[in-house]
């Protein structure tokens, strides 16, 4: 088995369960030393005995398989906690090479029913959390690059969502946060390219504790077959994007689930209108835009067809 991530260290946030756990295990399988982050504190199980936080359990799982891993317990939406997380990686392994931002929560409501706290908490964990860890990792890579006088190795894999692409009606907070993450990713990709760092975003579809209600209506797999919504379908793409092989992949958005990866094309200009005089009048815009949109009734910027993507199977 090849180990393309040998000698590299990685952080995976929200890695105590579900998607983050699968990603941390895959990075370790490919040779990386991993800092497993998750929110929470050690507790007690039903018997009253001390039990490990999920992050510690995943780190133990990686070590049991012969890999290197340490756990970090903390909320990465807190700026100082994110600083400590990056510091733990550099202090433990000498440097940071890979950052996988996965941590997130859901507070689903229609926009007219959503509370201020529903909005703020989702934006905080997803969007601010991605920024916090990216900020400290980027500073680390910039300093190393300047000291070396050359590019260094750096990979960022951010987690967006089809909710952003398709405009999920019951998730305005989540869709907004995930759209913001794509903007953060493309900006970061351009800013850090000269330092040797790439930044990409994925839109995974996976059945996890966070999404169990979202995918409740999706059929369970046949016995002996891997669930099409299993996080294990997503983790290999994260491993690839974190690897040297993906050096030319930067500022990209990819959808991944169920044995399928789709590359999402960047937005393109569909039409352009010029004012006859220096500026438009209402009447001129009405004459140009109304006929244009009349032929596109019901179409929005959202790409609802993305939700229908699936792996092609030969019959």
């Amino acid at each position: 088995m090849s180990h393309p991530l040998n000698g590299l260290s990685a952080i995976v946030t929200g890695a105590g369960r579900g998607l983050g756990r699968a990603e941390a295990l895959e990075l370790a399988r490919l040779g990386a030393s991993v800092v497993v982050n998750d929110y929470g504190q050690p507790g007690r199980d039903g018997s009253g005995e001390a039990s490990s936080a999920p992050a510690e359990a995943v780190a133990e799982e990686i070590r049991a398989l012969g890999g290197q891993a340490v756990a970090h317990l903390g909320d990465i939406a807190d700026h100082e906690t994110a600083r400590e997380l990056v510091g733990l990686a550099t202090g433990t392994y000498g440097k940071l090479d890979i950052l996988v931002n996965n941590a997130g929560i859901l507070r689903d409501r229609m926009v007219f029913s959503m509370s201020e706290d529903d909005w703020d908490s989702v934006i905080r964990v997803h969007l601010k959390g991605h920024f916090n860890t990216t900020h400290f990792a980027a500073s680390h890579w910039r300093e190393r690059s300047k000291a070396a006088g050359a590019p260094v190795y750096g990979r960022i894999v951010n987690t967006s969502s089809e909710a952003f692409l398709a405009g999920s009606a019951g998730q305005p907070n989540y869709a907004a946060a995930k759209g913001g993450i794509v903007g953060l990713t493309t900006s970061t990709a351009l800013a850090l390219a000269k330092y040797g760092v790439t930044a990409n975003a994925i839109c995974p579809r996976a059945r996890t504790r966070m999404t169990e209600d979202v995918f409740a209506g999706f059929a369970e797999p046949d016995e002996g077959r891997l669930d099409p919504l299993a996080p294990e379908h997503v983790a290999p793409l994260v491993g690839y994007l974190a690897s040297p092989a993906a050096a030319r992949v930067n500022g990209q958005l990819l959808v991944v689930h169920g044995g399928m990866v789709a590359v999402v094309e960047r937005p393109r200009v569909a039409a352009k209108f010029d004012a006859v005089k220096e500026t438009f009048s209402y009447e001129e815009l009405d004459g140009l835009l109304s006929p244009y949109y009349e032929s596109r009734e019901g179409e929005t910027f959202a790409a609802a067809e993305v939700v229908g993507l699936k792996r092609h199977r030969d019959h």
Side-chain angles (χ1 to χ4, degrees):
M1 183 180 72
S2 62
H3 295 91
L5 305 185
N6 267 351
L8 303 178
S9 66
I11 288 172
V12 183
T13 69
R17 300 179 178 87
L19 201 53
R21 172 183 171 274
E23 292 166 348
L25 288 168
E26 177 69 2
L27 294 179
R29 188 186 73 82
L30 295 174
S33 302
V34 185
V35 179
V36 180
N37 159 267
D38 203 38
Y39 182 80
Q41 299 293 333
R44 295 189 176 277
D45 61 25
S47 67
E49 295 297 318
S51 62
S52 297
E56 293 178 324
V58 174
E60 289 171 6
E61 190 175 357
I62 290 171
R63 291 192 294 266
L65 293 170
Q68 294 189 62
V70 294
H72 176 271
L73 308 182
D75 176 12
I76 46 80
D78 176 77
H79 203 60
E80 287 307 308
T81 299
R83 184 200 302 273
E84 293 166 6
L85 173 59
V86 173
L88 177 61
T90 59
T92 304
Y93 301 120
K95 59 183 173 59
L96 173 65
D97 303 292
I98 299 158
L99 170 63
V100 179
N101 284 309
N102 168 74
I105 60 171
L106 289 179
R107 298 287 185 272
D108 293 352
R109 297 282 189 281
M110 300 297 283
V111 70
F112 42 77
S113 302
M114 182 162 288
S115 70
E116 182 180 15
D117 184 64
D118 288 336
W119 176 270
D120 288 347
S121 60
V122 167
I123 298 295
R124 177 182 178 273
V125 174
H126 287 274
L127 187 52
K128 188 184 178 188
H130 271 63
F131 161 73
N132 285 344
T133 53
T134 297
H135 168 74
F136 291 111
S139 296
H140 167 71
W141 288 320
R142 180 172 177 265
E143 290 169 8
R144 279 177 52 204
S145 178
K146 286 194 166 187
V152 296
Y153 188 100
R155 298 283 187 271
I156 300 173
V157 182
N158 287 334
T159 306
S160 183
S161 171
E162 292 169 296
F164 151 65
L165 290 171
S168 180
Q171 298 180 300
N173 48 2
Y174 185 69
K178 292 306 192 180
I181 286 168
V182 174
L184 171 65
T185 303
T186 54
S187 174
T188 302
L190 292 173
L192 300 186
K194 67 181 179 180
Y195 302 118
V197 179
T198 67
N200 295 286
I202 63 171
C203 294
R205 190 186 300 180
R207 199 191 309 266
T208 66
R209 190 177 67 157
M210 189 183 85
T211 62
E212 60 187 351
D213 292 336
V214 176
F215 295 126
F218 284 66
E220 294 283 348
D222 297 330
E223 188 175 350
R225 299 192 65 182
L226 183 64
D227 185 349
L229 293 175
E232 286 74 17
H233 287 294
V234 176
L237 177 61
V238 173
Y240 167 75
L241 292 173
S243 76
R248 292 182 177 84
V249 184
N250 194 28
Q252 300 296 311
L253 180 63
L254 302 99
V255 176
V256 54
H257 57 79
M260 181 217 75
V261 172
V263 178
V264 179
E265 188 175 27
R266 64 179 177 84
R268 296 184 182 275
V269 176
K272 176 179 174 289
F273 304 95
D274 295 317
V276 173
K277 297 181 179 179
E278 186 176 356
T279 189
F280 280 110
S281 67
Y282 164 84
E283 291 76 14
E284 189 179 4
L285 287 170
D286 182 27
L288 291 169
L289 293 178
S290 294
Y292 176 78
Y293 282 111
E294 186 176 350
S295 65
R296 291 161 176 78
E297 189 172 358
E299 184 179 302
T300 74
F301 190 75
E305 65 274 13
V306 172
V307 178
L309 290 172
K310 61 182 179 178
R311 177 174 173 252
H312 175 73
R313 290 180 173 85
D314 294 326
H315 296 285

